[in-house]
Amino acid sequence: MPMKTLITALLLGAATLGQAAAVDPYGYKLPPSMQPKKKAPPAKKGPPPIDYVGEFVNFGEWKEVRAFLDDVASRDGFDRAALNTLMGQVRYVDAAVQLVKPAPPGKPKNWQAYSRLIVDPVRIDNGVKFWNENRDALERAEALYGVPAEILVGILGVETVYGRNTGRFRVVDALTTLAFSYPEAPQRSERMAFFRGELEATLLFARQNELDPLSLRGSFAGAIGMPQFMPSSVMKYAVDFDGSGKVDLLNSGTDAIGSVAAFLVAHGWQRDVGGPLVYSAAVSPNRAWESMINQGLSAKYRPQELTAAGVTTTVPVPEQQTYGLVDLQNGAEPTEYWLANNNFFAITQYNRSYFYAMSVVELGRAVRLARGGL
C-alpha cells in the first residue's frame, strides 16, 4: 500500500552568575561547572535524522503483535489492513533494548558528579536565552497553573536542552520493539504492557494530528518533543498553549511550557505551597531519622516529627507544610540531606528520581541567577 494511502486509511479510522554567592540562605551550592562559559552551537531545526539501523523482523507475523493490532483496530476504529501495512515497515531496534536495561550494579551514586553534568554552562546559557525568548509564555503559565518559570525552565533544560536533543529514534520502531521484545527483567510483562499502551497512544496521536506515525521521532523509549512526554502523556496533558490550533511539542516552546505546567498540576503541584522546594538539612548521629528515608515519593512528615528524629535545617521551614527527607548520595563523600516539600515530589512524578528533581531545582535556579534574578 503506498504511504499516502496508508496515512489516509489510518486517518479514516473512527501530538550575572559571577556575582552570585557560593551558598544562598537555603543552602544551595553553586556547582563549579557554572563558572566557565561556553558558547553553544545554534540549535538545528526540523526532525532529527535516525541514528540507528533497524532490523526487519516482520513484526506483523508475530502472534502477540497480530492480537494487539486486532484489539487496536476494534477498540479505536483503525483500518486493520492499514495497520498491518504500517507494521510491515517497522524495524526492530536493538539499541532500544540495550538502553532500557538497568545499569550494572556496584557503581555508587554520586549526586555531585551527576549535578556537574546537568547544571552546566551549555544548559545555563541556553536556559537564559529560552527564558528571554519565552518570557510571556512563562509568565502566563505561572499565572494560570501556579508553577514558577524557573521550574518549567529547569525541566525543559534537563530533558532536552530546550529542544536541542529531542531524540533520533522513530517512535513506532522503539515502542514496538519494547512492547514485544523487552529484555528479561523483573516486571517484564508489566513493562511490555506499558509500552503497548504507549504504541496505541502513538497511533491515536498521529491520527488526531494527521501525521504519518513513522515520521515521529523521539527517545529510545518513545518520549516525544521538547518536554519528552510519552505518547499517552501527550494525549492526556499536552496543551495548545500558543493557540495555533494544534499541539506541537517539538517546535513550539510555548506549547512545551504550558504542557509541562499542566502535567505538574495534574500530578500534585500545589499553587499555595510557597517558598523553596527544598531546604538543606543536617541529621543527628543517633540515626532515629533513618526510617524516614525511602518512604516513597511524597511529603508526609511534619517539621516537629523531623526535629524529634534529629533532623535540623539551616533556616526555619514553614510549619504548615509537610516534608520528605531526601538523601543525595555522593559516592565516598558524605551524603547530602534535604527536606523536600510537596511540589518537589510533584517533579518526581515526571521522573521518579531524587537526582532528577534536584537537578531541575538547581538548573532553574542557576538560570534565574544568570539572568540577574534574585
Side-chain angles (χ1 to χ4, degrees), residues 18 26 30 61 72 74 123 137-138 191 202 237 240 248 250 262 281 294 313 331 358:
Y26 302 104
L30 295 179
E61 291 187 353
V72 167
S74 174
R123 280 187 171 86
L138 289 165
R191 297 306 295 163
T202 300
Y237 309 114
D240 173 21
D248 183 357
L250 182 63
N294 297 323
T313 54
M358 194 67 178

Side-chain angles (χ1 to χ4, degrees), residues 185-226:
Q187 300 183 316
R188 179 175 184 262
S189 296
E190 292 85 347
R191 297 306 295 163
M192 291 173 72
F194 167 78
F195 283 110
R196 290 179 193 186
E198 295 301 330
L199 178 56
E200 182 176 2
T202 300
L203 297 174
L204 290 168
F205 173 73
R207 181 174 69 181
Q208 177 178 301
N209 291 274
E210 302 185 6
L211 299 171
D212 171 10
L214 297 173
S215 72
L216 296 172
R217 302 286 189 271
S219 74
F220 69 88
I224 294 173
M226 197 179 301

Side-chain angles (χ1 to χ4, degrees), residues 20-37:
V23 180
D24 78 0
Y26 302 104
Y28 292 102
K29 300 175 184 177
L30 295 179
S33 59
M34 290 171 57
Q35 305 308 320
K37 293 290 184 179

Side-chain angles (χ1 to χ4, degrees), residues 250-322:
L250 182 63
N251 301 299
S252 173
T254 300
D255 282 0
I257 288 165
S259 298
V260 171
F263 180 97
L264 290 175
V265 169
H267 289 82
W269 185 278
Q270 297 177 12
R271 176 191 296 270
D272 57 352
V273 176
L277 275 64
V278 291
Y279 296 81
S280 181
V283 294
S284 65
N286 65 20
R287 306 191 75 82
W289 46 268
E290 204 162 35
S291 63
M292 296 176 166
I293 296 289
N294 297 323
Q295 290 299 304
L297 302 178
S298 62
K300 60 176 64 174
Y301 299 109
R302 294 286 179 186
Q304 299 90 333
E305 297 176 274
L306 290 155
T307 300
V311 181
T312 58
T313 54
T314 55
V315 296
V317 300
E319 293 289 329
Q320 70 276 17
Q321 296 181 19
T322 54

Side-chain angles (χ1 to χ4, degrees), residues 18-287:
Q19 297 178 350
V23 180
D24 78 0
Y26 302 104
Y28 292 102
K29 300 175 184 177
L30 295 179
S33 59
M34 290 171 57
Q35 305 308 320
K37 293 290 184 179
K38 297 179 182 178
K39 187 172 181 60
K44 296 181 180 180
K45 299 295 183 180
I50 300 172
D51 65 353
Y52 62 89
V53 177
E55 178 185 354
F56 177 69
V57 297
N58 201 350
F59 278 114
E61 291 187 353
W62 293 20
K63 178 181 177 181
E64 296 85 354
V65 175
R66 292 200 305 269
F68 169 79
L69 296 180
D70 287 342
D71 289 344
V72 167
S74 174
R75 182 168 49 246
D76 302 321
F78 284 101
D79 180 271
R80 181 63 178 82
L83 289 176
N84 201 50
T85 301
L86 172 66
M87 198 55 57
Q89 299 174 70
V90 174
R91 297 295 182 264
Y92 173 88
V93 186
D94 185 64
V97 174
Q98 300 306 318
L99 288 166
V100 82
K101 291 179 179 179
K107 187 174 182 179
K109 296 180 179 180
N110 191 317
W111 158 244
Q112 289 298 331
Y114 179 93
S115 177
R116 284 192 292 271
L117 291 174
I118 300 298
V119 188
D120 69 337
V122 171
R123 280 187 171 86
I124 294 169
D125 288 347
N126 278 273
V128 170
K129 180 181 178 182
F130 180 84
W131 194 325
N132 290 339
E133 292 177 346
N134 295 276
R135 183 181 60 186
D136 291 345
L138 289 165
E139 290 176 354
R140 186 156 54 92
E142 185 165 349
L144 181 61
Y145 295 104
V147 183
E150 67 184 83
I151 298 301
L152 301 173
V153 169
I155 286 178
L156 293 172
V158 172
E159 288 292 340
T160 61
V161 196
Y162 312 101
R164 293 181 65 204
N165 304 319
T166 57
R168 297 160 64 91
F169 290 82
R170 284 199 316 192
V171 170
V172 172
D173 288 349
L175 292 177
T176 303
T177 299
L178 297 175
F180 299 101
S181 190
Y182 197 88
E184 290 296 330
Q187 300 183 316
R188 179 175 184 262
S189 296
E190 292 85 347
R191 297 306 295 163
M192 291 173 72
F194 167 78
F195 283 110
R196 290 179 193 186
E198 295 301 330
L199 178 56
E200 182 176 2
T202 300
L203 297 174
L204 290 168
F205 173 73
R207 181 174 69 181
Q208 177 178 301
N209 291 274
E210 302 185 6
L211 299 171
D212 171 10
L214 297 173
S215 72
L216 296 172
R217 302 286 189 271
S219 74
F220 69 88
I224 294 173
M226 197 179 301
Q228 291 291 274
F229 274 13
M230 292 301 289
S232 63
S233 290
V234 176
M235 297 293 288
K236 292 176 185 176
Y237 309 114
V239 296
D240 173 21
F241 207 51
D242 63 9
S244 67
K246 66 177 182 178
V247 172
D248 183 357
L249 298 183
L250 182 63
N251 301 299
S252 173
T254 300
D255 282 0
I257 288 165
S259 298
V260 171
F263 180 97
L264 290 175
V265 169
H267 289 82
W269 185 278
Q270 297 177 12
R271 176 191 296 270
D272 57 352
V273 176
L277 275 64
V278 291
Y279 296 81
S280 181
V283 294
S284 65
N286 65 20
R287 306 191 75 82

